[in-house]
Amino acid sequence: MPRESQIISQIRARAARSGRVVVPIGDDAAVVEHDGATDLLACCDLMVEGVHFRSEWSSPSLIGRKALAVTLSDIAAMGGVARFAMASIALPQDTSPGFISDLIEGLFRLADAYGVSIIGGDTSSSPGPLFIDTSVIGECARGRAVTRRGARAGDRVFVTGSLGGSSLGLLLLESGSRLEDIPDDKPADPLCRARREALTKHLAPEPLLHAGRALGESGIATSMIDISDGLSTDLRHILDESECGAVIHASQIPVAGCVHSLRGGDLRIDPLRMAIDSGEEYELVFTARPADRERLAEISRSLGVRVTEIGEVVERKGLYLEIEGSIKAVEPSGYEHKV
Amino acid sequence: MPRESQIISQIRARAARSGRVVVPIGDDAAVVEHDGATDLLACCDLMVEGVHFRSEWSSPSLIGRKALAVTLSDIAAMGGVARFAMASIALPQDTSPGFISDLIEGLFRLADAYGVSIIGGDTSSSPGPLFIDTSVIGECARGRAVTRRGARAGDRVFVTGSLGGSSLGLLLLESGSRLEDIPDDKPADPLCRARREALTKHLAPEPLLHAGRALGESGIATSMIDISDGLSTDLRHILDESECGAVIHASQIPVAGCVHSLRGGDLRIDPLRMAIDSGEEYELVFTARPADRERLAEISRSLGVRVTEIGEVVERKGLYLEIEGSIKAVEPSGYEHKV
C-alpha cells in the first residue's frame, strides 16, 4: 500500500477546481463560496481502531469524543465556526449496546459544547475493527478562511498551548498506563498530575474553535494549521504552501509541563524533540505580523489561551531550529498514525 | 451488536434540533437553512467490504463509483442538486497502488458526470476490510426539499425505472457470475443481456439526480425516498413519517426485464416478490397528487426516465398489496446490508 501522503497527492491532482471552490482538497478544510457574506468550510477525518486508537486504551465515550474533536480542530485551523457534523460508524459484531451508547454520547456531548448540530450519519457492522468517520460543515466570513498559503517573510510563528503531552500520553498508554488507573485521591501528587495531563491530552484533545475563530476573524493569522502530525511536519506544510521558510527557537518552544515532570523516569524522553515532533496535539500553529503582537496578546488574555511566539518566517525555504545560537535544519517527524 | 435501525433510533432521539436545522437526522439527507433563497442538504453513506460489497465481485473503479452513487442518490431523493463531496477511505495493507488509483478514478468520474466537486477526504490503512465513507453537500430552493412526511390520502404512489434487477444481480454474484465474464460478442443473446443488466444494476447504480431535482423543483413530489432497502421497506418509511397507508397494485409494479428473462433458470425467482423487496435499487419512490399526472408525464418524457404509477395513499395505516382483486398486508423485506 502506498503512503497516505502519496494517495492524498494523487487525489489532489485529480480534483478539478470548480468555480465555487475557493480552497480545494489539501488544506485543513475545503472552502467553497456560500453567499455574499459567508464561505462554507467542509472537512472529514477517519479514525480506525488499531491505527489511530485502541479500544482498551480509552473509554468509548472518549473515543467518540476524539473522533469529532479532530475534525472540529480542522475547522478551528481555518479560523471558522463549526456548525453541523455527521458521523459514520462501523461497529465490530461483538460491540455491546452500552459501548455504542457511550460512544455516541461522547460525540454528542462535544458537539453540544461547541454548538454543533449532528445532522446525519450512517452505521454498519464491521467484520474488522471499529471505524469512525466524522465530517463537519463550518462557516467563516467571506474570504476570511485562514489557509496554509499566507505566511510571508518577516511574519512571526506562534503556537497555542504547550507541546509534547500527546506523544507522552501515547508512550504512557503503550507502557500500560490508563487514565482510569490514576488515583483520584492524590490531586497534589505531581507525577499523578503529569500522567493525567499527558493521557488526557492524547485521549481527549480540545478543539481550539474559539481561538481559531478569533485568529481568523481578527485577520491576525496570515496562515494557520492544527498540529496533527507534529510541529515539525505541520509547520512545514505552511512553509511549503507559502513558499518560504522559518527559524524556530528551541528556548521558546512551550514544552508541556508533564513532559518535564516525567522526563526523569523510565521513559527516555528528549523534551524538546518530543515537543517538536509530537502528533495529535491539536494545538494551532500560525503566522502573524509582528505589528499584531499586541492584538494577539489581547485575544490570548480574553480567551485564556496561551500563545507563544516561537520563531520567524524567512525567505530561505526549509524549517530551521536555533539552539543556543547555532542553527540546524529540522527533519519532519514523519509522523504517520499507527498505534 | 444491536440492529442498525436501533442504533439510528438512538442517535435520532439524541440529536438536538437547532434553529437552523429544518430536517434533522432521519430523512435521506438533513436540510439546514442556508440563505434566503436556498437550503443546504447533507448526508453520508458508509460502504464496508464484506458487509456491503465484496472486492472480488467488482472492479475497484465500480466500487469507488458505487460508494459515491449511493450518497448522491440520497440528495436525489430530497429533490436537491448535489454540489460537493468528500470521501474517507481505509485501505487494507496489501492494497495495490493500481487498485487505489482505479477506485479513486471511479469515484471522481461519477462526480464529474454530475458536476459534483470532490473537496475533501481522508485516507488510512485498515487492519480489516476496505471501508469507504462518502459525504455529500447539496442544495435546493428554500423550503423545497422533499421529505418523507408529505404524503396525503388521495395522493398516488409512483416509482422510477424498474425493480428487482439489483436483487437479481446480487443473486447472480453469489452464484459466481461476474460482469467481466459475460461475453461481449453476443449483444443480442437475451440471457447475456439480462445477466449484464442485473449485474450492472447492482454494481453500478445510477443516482437519479436529474429526476429527483425535477420532481422537487416542480413541487410535484409530495414525499420521496430512494429505494436502498426495498420498496416494501422504503415506501413504509414514507407512510410511517406521513402517518398514512398505501395500497399498491401487483399488476402495476414495474418488474425489471432481466428478472422476467432469468426467472425460468436455476434461480428460483418470484418476480413480483423480488421487485417489491429488492434493495439497493436506487430508484425513487414518491407520492404526487393525481392532478399532477400530466406534468409528471412531461418530466418523464423530457428526462427519458420511466415513471410508473403503482398505487394510492390511503388513510388506513400500513402497506397493502392488491393482487387480482384481493388485498393483503405487505411485510417489510427486513433488508439489512450483508453479502
Side-chain angles (χ1 to χ4, degrees):
Chain A
M1 190 186 135
R3 288 166 63 97
E4 187 178 334
S5 48
Q6 291 172 301
I7 303 171
I8 291 172
S9 300
Q10 200 175 337
I11 295 174
R12 284 178 72 165
R14 180 61 176 79
R17 190 164 163 166
S18 87
R20 283 177 59 188
V21 180
V22 181
V23 178
I25 280 184
D27 215 299
D28 293 275
V31 184
V32 300
E33 280 180 20
H34 190 190
D35 57 37
T38 50
D39 286 335
L40 214 63
L41 308 170
C43 54
C44 58
D45 252 301
L46 183 56
M47 264 181 45
V48 181
E49 184 183 4
V51 180
H52 302 85
F53 67 95
R54 287 187 194 274
S55 288
E56 64 269 28
W57 283 358
S58 185
S59 67
S61 156
L62 287 185
I63 292 170
R65 186 189 185 284
K66 185 167 176 178
L68 181 60
V70 302
T71 317
L72 293 178
S73 177
D74 285 324
I75 298 291
M78 302 303 289
V81 185
R83 296 285 186 209
F84 309 106
M86 301 188 284
S88 288
I89 308 173
L91 296 152
Q93 289 289 351
D94 59 355
T95 309
S96 73
F99 185 98
I100 299 171
S101 303
D102 289 355
L103 188 148
I104 292 170
E105 188 56 31
L107 198 149
F108 267 102
R109 224 178 285 153
L110 185 71
D112 290 346
Y114 288 100
V116 174
S117 300
I118 305 285
I119 57 167
D122 195 11
T123 64
S124 166
S125 63
S126 165
L130 174 59
F131 293 85
I132 313 176
D133 185 42
T134 58
S135 44
V136 176
I137 299 173
E139 287 170 341
C140 67
R142 183 94 176 77
R144 271 297 167 89
V146 186
T147 68
R148 302 174 180 179
R149 308 181 78 98
R152 296 290 172 266
D155 284 355
R156 298 298 188 264
V157 181
F158 298 85
V159 68
T160 60
S162 63
L163 302 177
S166 177
S167 184
L168 176 60
L170 180 58
L171 213 61
L172 290 171
L173 288 164
E174 285 171 336
S175 66
S177 271
R178 297 291 178 268
L179 200 49
E180 64 272 22
D181 295 341
I182 300 175
D184 279 334
D185 57 349
K186 296 181 188 170
D189 181 306
L191 292 184
C192 280
R193 216 170 51 222
R195 281 170 58 208
R196 185 186 297 281
E197 182 189 329
L199 291 168
T200 302
K201 184 74 182 173
H202 188 77
L203 298 171
E206 202 65 52
L208 292 171
L209 281 161
H210 300 308
R213 180 180 183 173
L215 291 166
E217 289 184 351
S218 63
I220 289 176
T222 55
S223 71
M224 185 152 58
I225 193 170
D226 69 331
I227 301 183
S228 56
D229 297 339
L231 175 66
S232 53
T233 299
D234 292 313
L235 177 52
R236 193 177 304 263
H237 290 316
I238 285 184
L239 303 176
D240 288 348
E241 294 288 330
S242 300
E243 299 185 345
C244 54
V247 180
I248 55 175
H249 304 285
S251 62
Q252 290 169 233
I253 308 285
V255 179
C258 55
V259 174
H260 282 307
S261 301
L262 295 176
R263 67 181 298 187
D266 296 338
L267 305 162
R268 291 170 161 276
I269 296 176
D270 171 350
L272 179 67
R273 193 75 233 173
M274 182 166 264
I276 289 175
D277 288 343
S278 178
E280 301 187 57
E281 289 283 334
Y282 302 106
E283 296 294 342
L284 299 172
V285 54
F286 61 96
T287 55
R289 286 172 293 269
D292 280 328
R293 277 193 190 113
E294 199 146 322
R295 290 169 66 209
L296 191 51
E298 263 170 49
I299 287 179
S300 165
R301 265 194 305 273
S302 70
L303 294 179
V305 172
R306 177 179 174 186
V307 174
T308 310
E309 183 173 328
I310 61 169
E312 50 275 341
V313 180
V314 297
E315 300 261 353
R316 184 181 170 183
K317 291 183 184 175
L319 176 58
Y320 306 93
L321 178 69
E322 177 269 324
I323 308 185
E324 296 175 355
S326 71
I327 287 185
K328 59 171 194 171
V330 181
E331 294 307 309
S333 68
Y335 186 90
E336 297 233 338
H337 292 279
K338 59 182 168 52
V339 295
Chain B
M1 188 186 135
R3 287 166 61 98
E4 187 180 333
S5 48
Q6 291 172 301
I7 302 171
I8 291 173
S9 301
Q10 201 175 337
I11 295 175
R12 283 177 73 165
R14 179 62 176 78
R17 190 164 163 166
S18 88
R20 284 177 58 188
V21 180
V22 181
V23 178
I25 280 185
D27 216 298
D28 293 275
V31 183
V32 301
E33 280 180 20
H34 189 190
D35 57 38
T38 50
D39 285 336
L40 214 62
L41 308 169
C43 53
C44 58
D45 251 302
L46 185 55
M47 263 180 47
V48 180
E49 184 182 4
V51 180
H52 301 85
F53 67 95
R54 286 189 196 274
S55 288
E56 63 271 26
W57 283 358
S58 185
S59 66
S61 156
L62 287 185
I63 291 171
R65 187 191 184 282
K66 185 167 176 179
L68 181 59
V70 302
T71 316
L72 293 178
S73 178
D74 286 324
I75 298 291
M78 301 303 289
V81 185
R83 296 285 187 209
F84 308 106
M86 300 189 286
S88 289
I89 308 173
L91 296 151
Q93 290 287 351
D94 58 355
T95 308
S96 73
F99 185 98
I100 299 169
S101 302
D102 289 354
L103 187 149
I104 291 170
E105 188 57 30
L107 197 149
F108 267 101
R109 227 178 282 153
L110 185 72
D112 291 345
Y114 288 100
V116 174
S117 300
I118 305 285
I119 57 168
D122 196 11
T123 63
S124 167
S125 64
S126 165
L130 174 60
F131 167 100
I132 313 176
D133 185 41
T134 57
S135 44
V136 176
I137 299 173
E139 287 170 342
C140 66
R142 183 95 176 77
R144 271 297 166 88
V146 186
T147 69
R148 302 175 179 179
R149 309 181 78 99
R152 295 292 172 264
D155 284 356
R156 299 299 187 264
V157 182
F158 299 86
V159 68
T160 60
S162 63
L163 301 177
S166 177
S167 184
L168 176 59
L170 180 57
L171 214 61
L172 290 171
L173 288 165
E174 285 170 338
S175 66
S177 270
R178 298 293 177 266
L179 201 48
E180 65 271 21
D181 295 340
I182 300 176
D184 279 334
D185 57 349
K186 296 181 190 169
D189 181 308
L191 292 184
C192 280
R193 218 171 51 221
R195 281 169 58 207
R196 186 186 297 281
E197 183 189 329
L199 291 168
T200 302
K201 184 74 183 173
H202 187 78
L203 297 172
E206 201 66 50
L208 292 171
L209 282 161
H210 300 308
R213 179 180 183 173
L215 292 166
E217 289 184 352
S218 63
I220 289 176
T222 55
S223 71
M224 186 153 58
I225 192 170
D226 69 331
I227 301 184
S228 56
D229 297 340
L231 175 67
S232 54
T233 299
D234 293 313
L235 177 52
R236 193 178 303 264
H237 290 316
I238 285 184
L239 303 177
D240 288 348
E241 294 287 330
S242 299
E243 299 186 344
C244 53
V247 181
I248 55 175
H249 304 285
S251 62
Q252 290 169 231
I253 309 284
V255 180
C258 56
V259 174
H260 282 305
S261 300
L262 295 176
R263 67 181 298 188
D266 296 338
L267 306 162
R268 293 170 161 275
I269 297 177
D270 172 349
L272 179 67
R273 193 75 233 172
M274 183 167 263
I276 289 175
D277 288 343
S278 178
E280 300 188 59
E281 291 284 335
Y282 302 106
E283 297 295 340
L284 298 172
V285 55
F286 60 97
T287 55
R289 286 172 294 269
D292 279 329
R293 277 192 190 117
E294 199 147 323
R295 289 169 68 210
L296 190 51
E298 262 171 50
I299 288 178
S300 165
R301 265 193 306 274
S302 72
L303 295 179
V305 173
R306 178 179 174 184
V307 174
T308 309
E309 184 173 329
I310 60 168
E312 50 275 339
V313 180
V314 296
E315 300 263 354
R316 185 181 169 183
K317 291 184 185 174
L319 176 57
Y320 306 93
L321 178 69
E322 177 268 325
I323 309 185
E324 296 174 355
S326 72
I327 288 185
K328 58 172 194 170
V330 180
E331 295 306 309
S333 69
Y335 187 91
E336 296 233 338
H337 292 279
K338 59 182 167 52
V339 295

